[in-house]
Amino acid sequence: MDAWFSSFTVPSANSSFGLFSFTVAEMRIHSKKKNIVVAVLLVIGGLYFINHSDFLLAVFARSPEIVLNELTWQADRPVSMESWIDQADYLSFNVSYQLLAGVLPTQQKYLSVGLSSVKRKKGSYLVPTLKSIFSQSSPEEHSFMVVVVLLADFDVSWRVDTVKEIKSAFASELEKGHLLVIHVPQDWYPPITGLKRNFNDAPERVTFRSKQNLDYSFLIHYCAGLGRYYLQLEDDVFSAKNFLTTIKKRVEEQEGKKFTWATLEFSALGYIGKLYKSAHLPLLARFLFIFYQEMPCDWLMTHFREVMTQKETILFKPSLFQHMGTFSSFQGTYNKLKDKDFEEDVYTNPSAEVYSDMSTYQKHFPKLAWDAGEGFFWGRTPEKGNCLTVVFTEPTVVTGIFVETGSGGKDILESGEVEMGHNVVATDKEKSCTEFESVGTFENGKFKMQEMDKKYSSASSCLKIKVTATQKDWLIITKIRITTKLTVPHQ
């Protein structure tokens, strides 16, 4: 393409116009020669276009009806003005995109999620990965994100079949603008063979990782204007429940700190679960493109973070994404890589203070049941009327509650209820609410309720676990997990 041709200039004829004088015959000969040259250039240009056009190759390789139905596109890329690069088109990035499926969102989302996928020799994990992303997210979370899949293989038949499969499985997500499928024709790629062998890698390995860098570069460039933040995944991962809500909470925590960040990591594996600011994506895309043949993408990612002045890794646990693939996309080799810190049911409770009028055993304080991790609250001899009260830092619309008590069938809450409260009051020792309303009772030591906002739509300030009958056994509250109505703060 034009990015790979050297530019040249032609001296102006005006500077020596007086030196030229033609007879009528000479002018006709000159005109004929000019027309011949133009015709030859047009023929050469037409042959070049036919030879290099992915679309025409697809038309001739398959029936026109199938290709036109399955591989239609528009070339527009959403552009954000957050980056200085895009503001005046600095460092022009020449690439054209085919939109194979989906509808571009009309507004910027909170999160764009990018995946690149190629044809594998063994196994295919793309559709299960997409199903995990959407099934582990609430309908409300769907409205705050857009997932972009780059089909990066140059095999037209594979792309057509994959688009069919995606359209069949995710018709609703495509129609609502929650899922986009794109492709970049091979003509836009720089050389991917015959490259230098850094680290003494085999030529096939160098080609694979270099093309992967280019795939990610093009994917990230496309996603720059789609979301406020960008999450990089691979096409063979499983997602934790409500991962977007967890990410949003972590981002808010980081934005409240003094130092800036370039990368937040929600998995320790490869190029999985890496979060970036949208304003940094044009830089990251060009960074991967410029150094595409130097080293693997996860190594380049580390260098990018350091260049952006973030010295230390910011890795959150438990991990939100787990590698599910058994066979690698590189030559179908066996890959048993797993993230030991992954937990599927990750709930992120809002900031709160926790109090109890029950006597605490050793260091098993009430707050441990609320916080993430393996801690728990252990209270001595609970009596009727005793309670554990959670006071939210900010009023919160609660959509779901899950409370688990006991350990090994012992020290469960035999009789209890959950109440929601309003109007916070403070004393010298603790805080509570003046008004409480019961929302349900415990069964077999557990309490679970979902879609609470349909009945209790107003924001609550407290959550109380109340003992409704005295019991002989002590009480262990293993975990208190709530889900809340997702809100995105204005920029």
Side-chain angles (χ1 to χ4, degrees):
M1 301 306 295
D2 54 355
W4 302 100
F5 288 95
S6 299
S7 61
F8 62 93
T9 57
V10 179
S12 172
N14 293 334
S15 59
S16 55
F17 182 78
L19 299 178
F20 295 93
S21 60
F22 296 102
T23 64
V24 172
E26 287 173 330
M27 292 178 68
R28 288 175 178 170
I29 292 171
H30 179 74
S31 177
K32 288 180 180 179
K33 289 181 178 180
K34 182 178 179 181
N35 290 338
I36 291 172
V37 170
V38 171
V40 171
L41 288 174
L42 288 173
V43 171
I44 293 173
L47 290 173
Y48 179 87
F49 180 77
I50 291 173
N51 188 48
H52 289 75
S53 173
D54 189 79
F55 170 69
L56 289 180
L57 282 175
V59 172
F60 287 114
R62 300 173 68 89
S63 70
E65 180 180 358
I66 292 177
V67 174
L68 289 175
N69 285 341
E70 297 297 334
L71 299 182
T72 57
W73 66 81
Q74 60 190 60
D76 295 336
R77 177 184 73 90
V79 178
S80 170
M81 292 294 107
E82 292 182 86
S83 173
W84 61 270
I85 293 178
D86 283 336
Q87 288 175 5
D89 197 26
Y90 297 110
L91 297 175
S92 181
F93 200 58
N94 290 326
V95 60
S96 180
Y97 297 89
Q98 298 174 354
L99 181 59
L100 308 184
V103 180
L104 279 171
T106 57
Q107 294 180 334
Q108 187 185 53
K109 303 289 187 177
Y110 179 81
L111 183 70
S112 61
V113 182
L115 303 85
S116 176
S117 187
V118 296
K119 183 179 180 181
R120 293 172 180 260
K121 291 185 178 181
K122 295 181 181 179
S124 177
Y125 310 101
L126 176 58
V127 169
T129 295
L130 292 173
K131 285 183 177 179
S132 175
I133 290 173
F134 289 113
S135 66
Q136 294 289 78
S137 304
S138 68
E140 190 175 20
E141 287 172 321
H142 289 181
S143 65
F144 286 102
M145 70 178 175
V146 56
V147 180
V148 181
V149 177
L150 172 67
L151 298 185
D153 203 286
F154 301 138
D155 185 329
V156 177
S157 299
W158 176 82
R159 292 201 305 274
V160 170
D161 293 340
T162 303
V163 168
K164 283 183 178 180
E165 190 176 7
I166 291 174
K167 284 185 174 181
S168 175
F170 304 99
S172 176
E173 288 81 1
L174 290 167
E175 182 180 353
K176 294 177 181 178
H178 299 160
L179 175 62
L180 302 174
V181 184
I182 63 173
H183 174 66
V184 175
Q186 188 173 0
D187 289 341
W188 294 101
Y189 283 74
I192 57 175
T193 58
L195 305 177
K196 58 183 180 179
R197 295 174 56 190
N198 289 350
F199 317 110
N200 200 33
D201 284 347
E204 297 81 9
R205 178 68 185 177
V206 173
T207 293
F208 171 80
R209 62 172 169 79
S210 297
K211 182 184 177 296
Q212 190 177 55
N213 284 334
L214 295 168
D215 295 339
Y216 286 138
S217 172
F218 294 148
L219 173 63
I220 289 168
H221 181 63
Y222 184 85
C223 292
L226 289 174
R228 192 186 306 178
Y229 299 96
Y230 172 78
L231 178 68
Q232 179 67 56
L233 295 180
E234 294 182 3
D235 67 343
D236 56 354
V237 301
F238 188 84
S239 304
K241 191 173 182 65
N242 302 116
F243 67 88
L244 188 149
T245 301
T246 302
I247 288 174
K248 176 180 173 292
K249 182 177 184 296
R250 298 303 190 187
V251 168
E252 290 174 352
E253 291 174 356
Q254 291 301 313
E255 296 294 356
K257 298 179 180 179
K258 294 182 179 180
F259 61 88
T260 60
W261 60 270
T263 309
L264 301 183
E265 302 186 26
F266 295 92
S267 172
L269 301 181
Y271 214 7
I272 298 173
K274 306 303 185 276
L275 187 81
Y276 300 93
K277 298 177 182 179
S278 187
H280 293 167
L281 295 188
L283 283 172
L284 178 58
R286 287 158 176 81
F287 186 85
L288 292 172
F289 189 90
I290 292 170
F291 299 104
Y292 78 97
Q293 60 178 297
E294 301 299 333
M295 61 187 69
C297 56
D298 48 338
W299 294 9
L300 286 174
M301 174 269 294
T302 300
H303 287 294
F304 178 79
R305 186 202 75 211
E306 293 171 347
V307 167
M308 299 298 288
T309 71
Q310 179 187 324
K311 295 181 180 180
E312 303 296 332
T313 300
I314 304 175
L315 174 63
F316 296 102
K317 296 181 182 181
S319 300
L320 298 181
F321 305 97
Q322 177 64 284
H323 182 257
M324 73 161 72
T326 305
F327 298 99
S328 170
S329 55
F330 176 60
Q331 298 184 341
T333 55
Y334 181 70
N335 185 354
K336 61 179 180 179
L337 195 63
K338 296 295 180 184
D339 191 329
K340 62 181 179 63
D341 295 314
F342 173 76
E343 291 183 14
E344 179 180 347
D345 293 320
V346 175
Y347 296 87
T348 302
N349 294 337
S351 175
E353 298 175 68
V354 185
Y355 307 93
S356 178
D357 57 1
M358 288 176 273
S359 175
T360 301
Y361 175 66
Q362 293 185 353
K363 295 183 179 181
H364 298 285
F365 302 113
K367 188 73 158 52
L368 294 176
W370 178 256
D371 292 339
E374 298 179 356
F376 55 89
F377 167 65
W378 202 348
R380 292 186 174 97
T381 57
E383 298 180 354
K384 182 178 180 180
N386 282 155
C387 59
L388 179 148
T389 304
V390 179
V391 182
F392 306 137
T393 302
E394 299 289 341
T396 301
V397 177
V398 178
T399 59
I401 301 175
F402 176 72
V403 183
E404 184 177 58
T405 69
S407 177
K410 297 181 179 180
D411 293 346
I412 67 171
L413 180 56
E414 298 171 1
S415 178
E417 65 179 4
V418 173
E419 300 176 347
M420 303 303 296
H422 304 275
N423 302 325
V424 176
V425 292
T427 64
D428 293 339
K429 295 183 178 181
E430 62 182 46
K431 295 179 182 178
S432 187
C433 285
T434 58
E435 301 175 7
F436 282 95
E437 178 182 5
S438 177
V439 296
T441 59
F442 278 78
E443 293 185 10
N444 300 319
K446 294 182 179 181
F447 178 89
K448 186 175 183 179
M449 181 176 287
Q450 296 177 330
E451 298 182 338
M452 290 184 56
D453 52 317
K454 292 183 177 180
K455 185 175 181 180
Y456 307 99
S457 57
S458 61
S460 299
S461 296
C462 296
L463 180 152
K464 178 186 288 186
I465 298 171
K466 187 175 181 179
V467 179
T468 54
T470 301
Q471 62 185 59
K472 294 181 179 180
D473 291 338
W474 290 6
L475 173 62
I476 292 176
I477 300 181
T478 311
K479 63 174 65 174
I480 306 168
R481 299 291 183 262
I482 74 169
T483 54
T484 61
K485 195 163 188 177
L486 183 65
T487 58
V488 176
H490 296 292
Q491 289 181 293

